[in-house]
Amino acid sequence: MNVSHTLTVTKNEDQGAGYFHLVAQAPELARAARPGQFIHVHCAPSVDPLLRRPFSFYRLRPEAGEVEIYYQVVGKGTHLLSRIRSGTKLDALGPLGQGFPLDRKAQRILILGRGMGTAPLIALAEAARTQGTEVSAILSARNSATLVGDRLLASWGVEVITVTDESGTSAPEKVEPLVAAALDRPGTAQAFVCGSRRLARLLKRLAAARGIPAFVSLEERMGCGLGGCLVCACRVRTPEGETYKRVCKDGPVFPLEEVVLG
Amino acid sequence: MKPDLGVEICGLKLKNPVMPSSGSFGLPGYEEYMDLNGLGALVVKSITLHPRAGNPPPRIAETTAGMLNAVGIQNPGVKWFIKNDLQRLRRFTPPLIVSIAGTTVEEFAQATELLEKEEGIAAYEINVSCPNIEAGGRAFGMSAAATQAVVAAVKERTRRPIFTKLTPNVTDIVEIAQAAVEAGSDGLTLINTLLGMAIDVKLRRPVLANVFGGLSGPAIKPVALRCVYQVAQAVKVPIIGTGGISSATDVLEFLLAGASAVQVGTANIVDPYIMPKIIADLEKYLEENNAASVREYIGALKTH
């Protein structure tokens, strides 16, 4: 399969707080991609920055031939990306990696996201709502300006609980009862987390105690994105002992019980 | 008439001079994304006698026009390689070059013995130059005597051609190249990565968990060209040039400097489809410049 695509940017909008929302025409990619997978984008035709940047899908809209990403300007690559105008062509590889294993028969799922890490969970929630699955969402962020996707989720009928550092509601001990209550809701069949190691550790413990399958989408500095260069390693526990897996190819979504969260 | 892209190195017939550098291109794996049979040769990621987990992350740091890596020769070990990867890689037509690494001479020797029993391997590349396999960036290839010991141990145990991959992290690369050739290396690959580091000012920490890493990419091309040129002047064996190659003209620069074939590394990490593009561009360039064969460029640098 050729994973090389040329995206045509149709929107690249400043959302405040250094966040941007990019929409691009890429019909083939939109059809092939699944929530939790990512695209590996060459942010500028240059050798500085040299490497691509990985972005999980924020929304997949195959009917419109569009994919969407939500990103934060953190370095040279994302800075250049933020300056791209509508109509610009982008060189991207995708869809890459393993997506979220959403159970088709799940009555309800829980999504737990922090900051930018909420982005892939939005695509997941949309897929869940489309198949009739209920979604509980707990979103965490530094402040209300850096919450991602809360209004979109609410518009799909998702019950959203938001916690922020600013309001003093986001500490793990304060989030724990919220997560526990969400997991204990009848019908909750799966749980997904992204954007915070602390929240991932919390979910791992609470979900394991209840026997609910839980998954994490991991972030790591990437090279090739195709599993060839082995730079994006994450520590996992296997029957043979601890080893490294590739975030780009074996992940970015992993069962939480497998991942060693340092 | 189409120009001839074929080259021959140590009895290996390559349909073009372009192959991936060890560790930069998933073999096996990338057959999922493209046809591998258009490449000049296939070079696998370095295999060691025993499995290696590799270094903790972060293993990569982007630098100006380059990158540092500190993967640490993560690999499943030679026995697993033979049972699994080699079976998959045999199906492809380009000559297969197996890269061998190790932390002792004995490990190189034992890995060679196991591989030697297997069909479908055209040659070995002896990686004495990885900066991530020992603490502090040390490598066999930093010493002429240690290089010689490794090369001799492998040579004794094989009838296949061996290419010793050299490090630029030495005072005089020519001395090491000559030592490798004296010990029986049929060809040379140069250069491996330059030992480097990156620092995160905010965290006041090295970016790489391993502190040091190997620098590669366009930033190192001038160093690689200089090394290839110097060594080509001093030895008679074929050279595979590598270091920052990402275009057809880059390839020709290395051939002019004295390489007979080239490896593409970091450019594969940026664009997995770059090698087929380079090969197509190379053919086009030769055609436009009325060159009948790519071999016309090998060692043809004018210095007067």
Side-chain angles (χ1 to χ4, degrees):
Chain A
M1 184 181 58
N2 186 338
V3 291
S4 176
H5 298 274
T6 303
L7 280 54
T8 305
V9 175
T10 55
K11 178 179 150 181
N12 189 21
E13 208 174 71
D14 191 343
Q15 303 293 304
Y19 287 12
F20 284 75
H21 178 203
L22 185 147
V23 182
Q25 270 290 328
E28 256 183 76
L29 187 62
R31 268 196 303 275
R34 298 289 172 266
Q37 291 189 298
F38 67 96
I39 45 172
H40 211 21
V41 179
H42 213 186
C43 294
S46 130
V47 294
D48 186 25
L50 180 70
L51 301 169
R52 290 171 186 270
R53 300 290 186 266
F55 301 99
S56 286
F57 297 107
Y58 171 67
R59 289 189 77 183
L60 292 165
R61 307 202 311 120
E63 71 290 348
E66 286 179 342
V67 299
E68 302 186 12
I69 61 171
Y70 209 93
Y71 64 96
Q72 185 177 9
V73 175
V74 290
K76 212 181 268 175
T78 43
H79 173 71
L80 289 169
L81 189 64
S82 74
R83 298 176 63 165
I84 281 175
R85 294 192 182 164
S86 186
T88 304
K89 308 274 188 206
L90 268 185
D91 162 9
L93 304 174
L96 303 181
Q98 311 302 319
F100 294 111
L102 175 62
D103 182 351
R104 293 176 70 89
K105 293 185 205 118
Q107 190 186 328
R108 174 178 290 276
I109 62 167
L110 165 66
I111 61 171
L112 179 57
R114 172 145 171 110
M116 215 43 260
T118 307
L121 300 172
I122 302 301
L124 172 67
E126 188 164 25
R129 294 302 297 128
T130 304
Q131 69 174 23
T133 296
E134 300 290 337
V135 178
S136 315
I138 300 172
L139 306 188
S140 171
R142 284 197 315 278
N143 50 46
S144 56
T146 51
L147 283 164
V148 173
D150 50 330
R151 276 165 298 182
L152 197 54
L153 288 171
S155 76
W156 298 332
V158 173
E159 293 166 40
V160 183
I161 300 172
T162 61
V163 297
T164 64
D165 304 355
E166 195 180 46
S167 65
T169 50
S170 63
E173 62 275 15
K174 293 198 170 155
V175 180
E176 178 163 347
L178 303 175
V179 175
L183 289 171
D184 289 336
R185 281 189 69 155
T188 299
Q190 291 177 303
F192 303 88
V193 62
C194 185
S196 159
R197 294 243 158 187
R198 287 201 305 184
L199 290 181
R201 275 195 295 269
L202 176 66
L203 181 63
K204 183 177 182 171
R205 179 162 55 81
L206 297 180
R210 290 161 174 80
I212 295 174
F215 303 87
V216 61
S217 177
L218 293 178
E219 298 165 286
E220 185 54 73
R221 290 166 191 269
M222 280 186 194
C224 68
L226 303 177
C229 74
L230 309 188
V231 304
C232 58
C234 77
R235 205 149 186 88
V236 294
R237 198 167 287 123
T238 70
E240 294 83 44
E242 284 191 12
T243 182
Y244 289 112
K245 280 197 174 181
R246 302 163 299 181
V247 173
C248 70
K249 182 74 180 175
D250 304 311
V253 177
F254 292 93
L256 258 177
E257 57 184 358
E258 185 179 297
V259 177
V260 180
L261 297 160
Chain B
M1 215 175 70
K2 289 270 181 199
D4 180 7
L5 294 186
V7 295
E8 193 173 327
I9 43 166
C10 305
L12 272 63
K13 290 188 171 58
L14 316 186
K15 66 171 136 182
N16 63 66
V18 180
M19 65 185 92
S21 75
S22 175
S24 70
F25 193 79
L27 291 173
Y30 278 17
E31 66 273 18
E32 182 185 341
Y33 307 112
M34 72 194 82
D35 177 17
L36 302 178
N37 290 333
L39 303 177
L42 301 177
V43 186
V44 303
K45 181 167 176 63
S46 293
I47 299 298
T48 51
L49 181 63
H50 305 294
R52 283 177 63 93
N55 292 324
R59 293 177 171 183
I60 187 170
E62 194 173 38
T63 61
T64 307
M67 58 171 266
L68 291 158
N69 92 80
V71 173
I73 315 283
Q74 177 181 333
N75 81 94
V78 70
K79 283 180 184 157
W80 199 96
F81 171 81
I82 288 169
K83 218 173 144 194
N84 300 276
D85 292 358
L86 186 57
Q87 308 305 321
R88 287 169 67 187
L89 290 165
R90 272 193 195 121
R91 296 186 278 131
F92 305 109
T93 54
L96 181 68
I97 301 176
V98 174
S99 170
I100 305 172
T103 51
T104 64
V105 173
E106 190 53 31
E107 279 180 24
F108 277 95
Q110 286 185 34
T112 307
E113 275 176 13
L114 292 170
L115 290 163
E116 193 64 15
K117 295 179 197 147
E118 303 300 319
E119 298 293 317
I121 299 170
Y124 302 115
E125 187 171 84
I126 308 305
N127 182 359
V128 291
S129 46
C130 175
N132 297 321
I133 198 161
E134 280 182 70
R138 293 287 311 168
F140 285 97
M142 289 179 172
S143 142
T147 300
Q148 229 159 7
V150 172
V151 174
V154 173
K155 185 70 181 174
E156 236 172 70
R157 289 163 175 84
T158 180
R159 284 179 296 177
R160 292 170 175 150
I162 61 179
F163 295 87
T164 306
K165 187 166 179 180
L166 303 182
T167 172
N169 305 318
V170 292
T171 310
D172 180 7
I173 195 166
V174 172
E175 183 200 343
I176 311 286
Q178 285 169 331
V181 173
E182 272 171 36
S185 196
D186 303 278
L188 299 168
T189 303
L190 51 138
I191 54 175
N192 207 319
T193 55
L194 279 72
L195 189 60
M197 78 183 282
I199 292 173
D200 185 321
V201 172
K202 255 192 185 160
L203 300 176
R204 300 189 183 199
R205 284 181 161 281
V207 176
L208 298 169
N210 193 50
V211 185
F212 296 161
L215 180 66
S216 63
I220 73 161
K221 198 185 84 178
V223 178
L225 275 173
R226 181 268 297 171
C227 290
V228 168
Y229 178 72
Q230 276 186 314
V231 171
Q233 301 298 304
V235 302
K236 291 200 167 65
V237 301
I239 292 170
I240 304 174
T242 181
I245 295 174
S246 59
S247 70
T249 49
D250 288 346
V251 173
L252 292 170
E253 287 174 32
F254 276 82
L255 298 191
L256 287 169
S260 298
V262 299
Q263 294 179 349
V264 176
T266 303
N268 291 323
I269 292 174
V270 178
D271 179 2
Y273 298 101
I274 194 88
M275 287 191 290
K277 284 178 204 160
I278 290 174
I279 294 162
D281 287 350
L282 193 58
E283 183 171 56
K284 208 170 124 200
Y285 183 94
L286 296 178
E287 214 165 3
E288 285 169 3
N289 289 275
N290 302 313
S293 163
V294 73
R295 296 187 296 278
E296 289 173 21
Y297 283 82
I298 298 173
L301 189 72
K302 297 174 189 168
T303 50
H304 303 291

